[in-house]
C-alpha cells in the first residue's frame, strides 16, 4: 500500500469514528446542559463551593463568573510555579522565573498551552499534574460554558438569563470531560504511554551506561490535553514523544479526541435550538474546510518542495517514522484548525506551504471545528456575519434562528472578529520593528518572519503550537505572548456573552418566505465563503511575506 | 462602592473554592485512577516498556538510543559503531540546562526549515555518510536507495524506529562487520519489520533496539 493511500484511509477511518460518536455524544451533551437534575458528586461540589446552581445569570453576571474564575486560576497557577522549588514531589526542580511563570499561567488558563519552557527539565509532578493538567480540564469547561450560554441566547426568548456559570463549569468537567478522558487515558496506557509517579531514574542502555528518564502522569494528561483542545505537552517534543504518542493507533486516537467534542457540539447546538438541521449546516461548513485543508496539507507534504527535501527524497525532518507523512499531516491540520496546538511532528520543518496551511487554519479563527466551545461560538459569530451579508444583498433585516440581527448584534460580532487580527498583526509588527526579538530566530528570511507571525497567531488564537525554532523564553516574548493569549481569549468572550444576552432578550421573529434558510447547503456554502473572505483575507498580506514567499521560492 | 467590593470578594472566594475542589477531582483523583487502572492492567507499558537482555535493562522499546563508539580524545561528537544498526539522526536533541543536577536528554526537533542552509548541509553530509558506510564488498548504495528517514532528524529526536528500507541498506555492512551471511541479516530485518497496524495505520517500521538485541543474540549463537 502506498503511503498516500494509507494516509487517506486513516483519514476516512477517523471520519467514520467521529460520525459514529456524533449523535450520541451531541445529544448527551445537550442533556447535560439542559437537565434540571444534579449528580450527587455535583451536589457535594456545590455545597463545598457554596454556590446555588439553580440561580439564573444575566450576561454580565455570567461574564463575571468566567473572568473571576479565570483570574483566580491564573494567580493560582502562577504561584504554584513560583513556589515549585519548595514543594515536595517536584523532583527538586527549581521555581519558574516570573516572566515565564506568567506566560505559562496565562497560556494554560486561556486554553492556549503555548510553552516557552521544556517540560521534562522544568516542571515537576505537582505543577504538571496538579496545576497544568487541571487547567486542561477547566479552561476547556469554561469554553464550553460560554458556547452553551450563546446557544441559550439563541434558544431562549424574552429573558436575559443565560444559565448558571458554576453549574455549567462543573457539569462540563464532571459529566463530559472526565469520563471521556478517563477512557482515552487508559487506552493510551495500553498503547504505551506512561503513567507512574517515578522520580528521575536511571535506565540501562544497549551500548552500556545509562540514560535518565522522567516518570510522570503522562497518559492522563495526554488524554485531556487532546480532548480539551489544550495541547501542552508533558515533554518538550509534545505528541511526537514516544511516551506521549507511542504508535499509529495512539496517534489516530489522539486526533479523534481532538476533534470529538468540537464537532459533536454542533449537534448539541442543533438540539438546544430545536432543529438538528441547523447543527448539520454548521457541521457541513466545518467539515468542508477540514477536508480541504487536510487534502492540501497531504499534497504539499508528499510533494515535499524544498531544497533540503529534494536531496533527502521526502519531507521527514521533524516527523516520526511510525506516523510518516500522512498521519503527521492529518494531525497537524486537526491541531491547528482546533485550538489544540499539540504536535506529533514539527511544523517549522514542514514545507513552506505546509506551514502556511497550519497558520491559515488558526487565522480563520479556529472554527473548523475549532476549540472545545470556542469553535462553536466562533463559527456562530461568523454565521451572524454571514446572514447579515446575505441580508444586505437582498435588502432585508437579517435574522438567524428566529432572532433579529440588528445594529447591536452586528457591533458585537464585528468587535469579536477584529480582536484577534488586531492582536496578531500589531504584536508581529512591533516585534519585527524592535531590535532584540529577532535575535530569537533560528531561521532567516521569509521563514524567520514566519516564526514570529506564527508565534502571535498561535498565541492570540489560543492555539499554542509553534514554529519552534523561535526561542520564546525571553522577557519580551513571555510577556507579549502572555498578554496576547489573555486578550485573545477573554475579550472575545465578553462580546460573545453580550451578544448572547442581547439575543435572549428578544421576541422570536416568525420565519416567512423571505427568511434565509440557515439549515440548507446554500447557507453552509455562504458561511464557508464568509469565513474565507472575512478572516482569511485579513491575513493575506502577512502570509504573502512569510509562508507564501517561502513556498513559491522552491 | 462598598457593595461592589463585597460582591467581588464573594465572587473571587467562590472561584477559589471551585478551583480547589476541581483541582482535587481533576488533579488528584483522576490521575490516580488512571494510574491504578494502568498499573493493574498494563504495568509494562505504564512504566515505560522497558526491555531486558540477559537480565540487564537495555532501555525502552519506545525510546531511541545512539549506537556510538566511545568518545575519542579531541572529538566533540562520537562516531557511530557501525557494527550495530544505526538509528535516524537526532540533531534536535538538547541537554538539560535548567535543573543541572540531572543529565536528562531534552526531546526535540531541529526546527530547521526546508530551505535552511544548515539543514541542507546536514542532509547532504548524512547522505554521503550513509552511502559511504554501507557500500561494502561490491554492494554499492546508490543515492536514490537512501530513504529520507536515514538523513533527517525526527520530531522527538528519540524516534525508536527506522524504515525497512533504511534497515535493508545496512544489512551488507552489518553482515560484513559481524561475519554473518547477508541473507541471515536480511532475514532478521524482515522478522523485525512491523507493518502498518490493521494494514493502514501508521507506517511500516523496524525497531532499532529490538533489532540490535536480536543481532547480538545471533552472534552469541
Amino acid at each position: 500500500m502506498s503511503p498516500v493511500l494509507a494516509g487517506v484511509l486513516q483519514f476516512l477511518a477517523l471520519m467514520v469514528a467521529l460520525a459514529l460518536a456524533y449523535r450520541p455524544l451531541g445529544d448527551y451533551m445537550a442533556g447535560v446542559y439542559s437537565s434540571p437534575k444534579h449528580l450527587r458528586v455535583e451536589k457535594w461540589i456545590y455545597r463545598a463551593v457554596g454556590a446555588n446552581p439553580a440561580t439564573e445569570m444575566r450576561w454580565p453576571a455570567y461574564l463575571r463568573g468566567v473572568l473571576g474564575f479565570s483570574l483566580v486560576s491564573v494567580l493560582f497557577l502562577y504561584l504554584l510555579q513560583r513556589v515549585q522549588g519548595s514543594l515536595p514531589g517536584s523532583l527538586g526542580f527549581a521555581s519558574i522565573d516570573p516572566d515565564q511563570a506568567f506566560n505559562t499561567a496565562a497560556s494554560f488558563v486561556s486554553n492556549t498551552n503555548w510553552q516557552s519552557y521544556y517540560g521534562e527539565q522544568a516542571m515537576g509532578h505537582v505543577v504538571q499534574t496538579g496545576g497544568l493538567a487541571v487547567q486542561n480540564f477547566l479552561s476547556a469547561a469554561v469554553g464550553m460554558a460560554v458556547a452553551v450560554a450563546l446557544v441559550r441566547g439563541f434558544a431562549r426568548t424574552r429573558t436575559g438569563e443565560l444559565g448558571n456559570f458554576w453549574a455549567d463549569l462543573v457539569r462540563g468537567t464532571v459529566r463530559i470531560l472526565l469520563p471521556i478522558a478517563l477512557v482515552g487515558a487508559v487506552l493510551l496506557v495500553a498503547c504505551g504511554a506512561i503513567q507512574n509517579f517515578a522520580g528521575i531514574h536511571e535506565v540501562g542502555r544497549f551500548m552500556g551506561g545509562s540514560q535518565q528518564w522522567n516518570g510522570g502522569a503522562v497518559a492522563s494528561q495526554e488524554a485531556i490535553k487532546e480532548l480539551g483542545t489544550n495541547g501542552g505537552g508533558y515533554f518538550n517534543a509534545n505528541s511526537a514523544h514516544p511516551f506521549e504518542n507511542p504508535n499509529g493507533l495512539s496517534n489516530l486516537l489522539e486526533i479523534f479526541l481532538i476533534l470529538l467534542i468540537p464537532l459533536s457540539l454542533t449537534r448539541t447546538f442543533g438540539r438546544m435550538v430545536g432543529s438538528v438541521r441547523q447543527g448539520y449546516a454548521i457541521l457541513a461548513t466545518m467539515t468542508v474546510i477540514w477536508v480541504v485543508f487536510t487534502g492540501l496539507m497531504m499534497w504539499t507534504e508528499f510533494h515535499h518542495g524544498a531544497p533540503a527535501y529534494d536531496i533527502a527524497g521526502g519531507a521527514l525532518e521533524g516527523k516520526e517514522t511510525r506516523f510518516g507523512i500522512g498521519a503527521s499531516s492529518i494531525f497537524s491540520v486537526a491541531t491547528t484548525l482546533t485550538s489544540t496546538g499539540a504536535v506529533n511532528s514539527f511544523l517549522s520543518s514542514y514545507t513552506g506551504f505546509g506551514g502556511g496551511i497550519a497558520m491559515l487554519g488558526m487565522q480563520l479563527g479556529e472554527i473548523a471545528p475549532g476549540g472545545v466551545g470556542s469553535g462553536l461560538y466562533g463559527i456562530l459569530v461568523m454565521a451572524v456575519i454571514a446572514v447579515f451579508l446575505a441580508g444586505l444583498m437582498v435588502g432585508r433585516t437579517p435574522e438567524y434562528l428566529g432572532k433579529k440581527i440588528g445594529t447591536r448584534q452586528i457591533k458585537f460580532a464585528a468587535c469579536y472578529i477584529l480582536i484577534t487580527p488586531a492582536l496578531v498583526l500589531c504584536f508581529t509588527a512591533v516585534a519585527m520593528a524592535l531590535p532584540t526579538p529577532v535575535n530569537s530566530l533560528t531561521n532567516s528570511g521569509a521563514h524567520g518572519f514566519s516564526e514570529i507571525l506564527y508565534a502571535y497567531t498561535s498565541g492570540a488564537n489560543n492555539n499554542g503550537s509553534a514554529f519552534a525554532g523561535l526561542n520564546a523564553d525571553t522577557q519580551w516574548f513571555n510577556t507579549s505572548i502572555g498578554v496576547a493569549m489573555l486578550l485573545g481569549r477573554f475579550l472575545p468572550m465578553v462580546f460573545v456573552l453580550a451578544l448572547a444576552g442581547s439575543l435572549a432578550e428578544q421576541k422570536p421573529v416568525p420565519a416567512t418566505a423571505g427568511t434565509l434558510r440557515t439549515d440548507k447547503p446554500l447557507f453552509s456554502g455562504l458561511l464557508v465563503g464568509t469565513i474565507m473572505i472575512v478572516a482569511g483575507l485579513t491575513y493575506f498580506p502577512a502570509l504573502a511575506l512569510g509562508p507564501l514567499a517561502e513556498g513559491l521560492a522552491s | 462602592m462598598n457593595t461592589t467590593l463585597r460582591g467581588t470578594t464573594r465572587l473571587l472566594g467562590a472561584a477559589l473554592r471551585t478551583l480547589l475542589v476541581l483541582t482535587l477531582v481533576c488533579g488528584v483523583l483522576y490521575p490516580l485512577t488512571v494510574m491504578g487502572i494502568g498499573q493493574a492492567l498494563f504495568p509494562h507499558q505504564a512504566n515505560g516498556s522497558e526491555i531486558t537482555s540477559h537480565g540487564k535493562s537495555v532501555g525502552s522499546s519506545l525510546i531511541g538510543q545512539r549506537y556510538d563508539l566511545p568518545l575519542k580524545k579531541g572529538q566533540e561528537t562520537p562516531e557511530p559503531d557501525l557494527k550495530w544498526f544505526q538509528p535516524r539522526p537526532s540533531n534536535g536533541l538538547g541537554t538539560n540546562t535548567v535543573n543541572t543536577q540531572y543529565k536528562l536528554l531534552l526531546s526535540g526537533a531541529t526546527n530547521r526549515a526546508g530551505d535552511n542552509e544548515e539543514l541542507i548541509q546536514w542532509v547532504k553530509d548524512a547522505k554521503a555518510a550513509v552511502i559511504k558506510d554501507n557500500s561494502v564488498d561490491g554492494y554499492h548504495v546508490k543515492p536514490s536507495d537512501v530513504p529520507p528517514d536515514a538523513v533527517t532528524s525526527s520530531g522527538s529526536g528519540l524516534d525508536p524506529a527506522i524504515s525497512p528500507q533504511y534497515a535493508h541498506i545496512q544489512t551488507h555492512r552489518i553482515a560484513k562487520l559481524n561475519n554473518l551471511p547477508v541473507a541471515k541479516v536480511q532475514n532478521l530485518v524482515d522478522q523485525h519489520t512491523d507493518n502498518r497496524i490493521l494494514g493502514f495505520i501508521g507506517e511500516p517500521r523496524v525497531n532499532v533496539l529490538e533489532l540490535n538485541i536480536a543481532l547480538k543474540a545471533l552472534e552469541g549463537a
Side-chain angles (χ1 to χ4, degrees):
Chain A
M1 188 184 294
S2 82
V4 179
L5 181 60
V8 171
L9 286 179
Q10 289 179 78
F11 188 64
L12 291 177
L14 190 63
M15 285 182 104
V16 170
L18 288 163
L20 288 175
Y22 178 76
R23 285 178 65 166
L25 180 62
D27 291 349
Y28 172 73
M29 290 194 291
V32 166
Y33 289 112
S34 312
S35 153
K37 292 208 181 83
H38 306 291
L39 299 181
R40 189 176 301 162
V41 55
E42 289 169 350
K43 286 186 193 155
W44 291 338
I45 295 176
Y46 298 136
R47 205 171 309 144
V49 169
N52 178 3
T55 320
E56 282 285 337
M57 294 175 169
R58 301 177 69 82
W59 81 265
Y62 205 97
L63 177 67
R64 277 197 297 274
V66 169
L67 296 180
F69 181 71
S70 301
L71 175 70
V72 168
S73 296
V74 171
L75 292 175
F76 180 79
L77 200 50
Y78 177 82
L79 287 175
L80 198 62
Q81 296 173 74
R82 294 291 294 135
V83 299
Q84 172 171 257
S86 330
L87 291 176
S90 294
L91 309 171
F93 282 3
S95 299
I96 308 294
D97 289 338
D99 58 324
Q100 193 170 44
F102 161 69
N103 182 279
T104 306
S107 174
F108 277 73
V109 173
S110 65
N111 199 251
T112 312
N113 299 36
W114 173 267
Q115 296 169 292
S116 73
Y117 62 89
Y118 295 95
E120 54 262 62
Q121 71 167 353
M123 302 294 182
H125 293 327
V126 176
V127 173
Q128 291 262 31
T129 307
L132 302 178
V134 170
Q135 281 306 321
N136 282 356
F137 279 97
L138 303 184
S139 66
V142 168
M144 288 201 285
V146 172
V148 166
L150 178 60
V151 174
R152 289 193 188 117
F154 281 112
R156 294 179 176 182
T157 50
R158 297 190 180 90
T159 170
E161 292 169 347
L162 297 176
N164 184 289
F165 169 68
W166 306 110
D168 290 340
L169 175 74
V170 170
R171 287 181 176 195
T173 307
V174 172
R175 294 197 209 177
I176 299 171
L177 296 172
L178 268 171
I180 306 177
L182 185 63
V183 175
V186 171
L187 291 175
L188 285 173
V189 177
C191 288
I194 59 171
Q195 181 77 13
N196 59 61
F197 282 107
I200 291 180
H201 55 286
E202 308 272 333
V203 174
R205 293 174 61 221
F206 182 80
M207 301 296 285
S210 64
Q211 51 189 327
Q212 283 189 332
W213 279 7
N214 297 50
V218 176
S220 57
Q221 186 161 336
E222 188 73 12
I224 188 58
K225 159 187 136 184
E226 314 295 9
L227 181 70
T229 60
N230 295 282
Y234 199 97
F235 298 100
N236 181 44
N238 208 301
S239 298
H241 196 291
F243 281 161
E244 288 197 24
N245 193 355
N247 60 34
L249 206 56
S250 65
N251 187 56
L252 265 195
L253 172 66
E254 289 181 14
I255 306 172
F256 173 79
L257 289 176
I258 288 174
L259 297 165
L260 180 63
I261 293 181
L263 284 173
S264 302
L265 272 175
T266 59
R267 171 87 184 183
T268 310
F269 158 72
R271 276 261 164 234
M272 290 176 77
V273 298
S275 159
V276 288
R277 302 181 60 134
Q278 298 287 352
Y280 290 154
I282 299 287
L283 175 71
T285 304
M286 291 174 166
T287 310
V288 165
I289 297 176
W290 173 48
V291 171
V292 169
F293 270 56
T294 307
L296 287 174
M297 185 65 105
M298 280 208 202
W299 170 77
T300 180
E301 290 308 299
F302 277 116
H303 182 69
H304 65 77
Y309 304 142
D310 290 340
I311 305 168
L316 267 182
E317 181 75 23
K319 297 191 180 81
E320 300 281 303
T321 309
R322 60 193 181 283
F323 309 140
I325 287 170
S328 296
S329 303
I330 299 171
F331 196 112
S332 295
V333 170
T335 197
T336 47
L337 279 177
T338 61
S339 75
T340 312
V343 290
N344 77 345
S345 50
F346 279 71
L347 292 161
S348 191
S349 297
Y350 271 49
T351 60
F353 289 135
I357 292 166
M359 235 188 282
L360 184 62
M362 294 185 282
Q363 289 163 343
L364 293 183
E366 292 170 354
I367 34 66
V372 167
S374 61
L376 182 64
Y377 65 67
I379 203 162
L380 289 178
V381 169
M382 277 293 176
V384 165
I385 300 279
V387 292
F388 171 69
L389 293 178
L392 286 183
M393 287 184 224
V394 293
R396 269 179 57 97
T397 306
E399 52 204 70
Y400 184 44
L401 303 168
K403 296 295 171 75
K404 273 209 161 58
I405 304 301
T407 325
R408 251 184 105 200
Q409 287 75 29
I410 285 300
K411 277 184 186 158
F412 291 141
C415 287
Y416 175 96
I417 284 171
L418 287 173
I419 292 164
T420 13
L423 288 170
V424 172
L425 298 174
C426 293
F427 272 119
T428 304
V430 172
M432 291 306 292
L434 288 172
T436 48
V438 289
N439 295 339
S440 289
L441 299 180
T442 295
N443 296 282
S444 56
H447 198 84
F449 173 74
S450 292
E451 285 182 10
I452 289 184
L453 177 64
Y454 198 105
Y456 290 109
T457 299
S458 176
N461 282 291
N462 301 134
N463 187 275
S465 64
F467 267 19
L470 184 77
N471 169 24
D473 185 19
T474 65
Q475 288 208 351
W476 162 261
F477 281 115
N478 273 334
T479 313
S480 64
I481 295 175
V483 170
M485 290 188 289
L486 289 176
L487 294 178
R489 173 75 166 176
F490 295 107
L491 273 183
M493 281 186 175
V494 173
F495 295 110
V496 168
L497 289 172
L499 177 65
S502 79
L503 291 169
E505 283 167 3
Q506 288 186 23
K507 297 194 296 264
V509 196
T512 63
T515 305
L516 174 70
R517 293 289 300 270
T518 52
D519 54 355
K520 295 279 182 201
L522 179 67
F523 179 71
S524 299
L526 179 71
L527 189 49
V528 173
T530 308
I531 291 164
M532 297 311 288
I533 292 169
V534 172
L537 279 191
T538 316
Y539 292 97
F540 187 74
L543 287 171
L545 290 173
L548 281 180
E550 185 190 337
L552 290 173
S554 49
Chain B
M1 190 62 220
N2 233 342
T3 47
T4 330
L5 191 67
R6 211 175 308 140
T8 311
T9 317
R10 206 182 311 138
L11 172 72
L12 295 181
L16 181 63
R17 287 192 299 276
T18 312
L19 177 64
L20 292 177
V21 172
L22 290 178
T23 298
L24 181 71
V25 176
C26 304
V28 180
L29 298 179
Y30 161 71
L32 286 179
T33 309
V34 177
M35 193 171 78
I37 300 173
Q39 292 285 350
L41 297 182
F42 313 104
H44 175 69
Q45 290 94 320
N47 293 319
S49 307
E50 262 187 75
I51 305 185
T52 47
S53 165
H54 297 102
K56 252 180 39 195
S57 161
V58 290
S60 163
S61 61
L62 294 176
I63 302 290
Q65 306 181 16
R66 311 292 322 166
Y67 303 87
D68 291 332
L69 294 165
L71 207 58
K72 289 190 206 121
K73 264 197 189 129
Q75 269 184 332
E76 270 183 26
T77 44
E79 283 172 29
D81 187 347
L82 296 175
K83 204 169 159 267
W84 304 109
F85 281 98
Q86 288 295 313
R88 296 179 65 180
S90 49
N91 294 324
L93 278 182
T95 44
N96 197 358
T97 51
V98 177
N99 292 287
T100 43
Q101 74 270 35
Y102 300 119
K103 287 202 183 76
L104 285 163
L105 277 183
L106 279 195
S107 59
T110 67
N111 289 304
R112 297 302 190 281
D115 61 356
N116 181 292
E117 290 301 329
E118 211 174 351
L119 178 62
I120 295 172
Q121 197 56 48
W122 283 338
V123 170
K124 276 186 186 159
D125 293 347
K127 194 147 190 165
V130 168
I131 291 171
K132 181 174 152 278
D133 292 343
N134 292 299
S135 297
V136 288
D137 290 349
Y139 171 77
H140 186 73
V141 179
K142 294 193 292 288
S144 59
D145 293 339
V146 181
D149 63 292
V151 295
T152 53
S153 301
S154 68
S156 61
L158 301 170
D159 197 335
I162 54 177
S163 65
Q165 207 182 339
Y166 184 33
H168 270 291
I169 60 172
Q170 299 190 51
T171 49
H172 286 81
R173 181 197 86 217
I174 297 287
K176 182 181 178 220
L177 293 178
N178 293 289
N179 296 318
L180 290 165
V182 174
K184 211 168 178 184
V185 180
Q186 280 173 341
N187 201 10
L188 200 66
V189 170
D190 289 336
Q191 280 168 16
H192 283 85
T193 300
D194 296 314
N195 283 313
R196 294 189 175 95
I197 302 168
L198 303 178
F200 70 99
I201 299 173
E203 288 295 318
R205 67 218 175 276
V206 182
N207 187 300
V208 183
L209 177 61
E210 288 172 6
L211 185 60
N212 277 333
I213 291 172
L215 178 64
K216 199 174 196 173
L218 205 62
E219 289 173 342

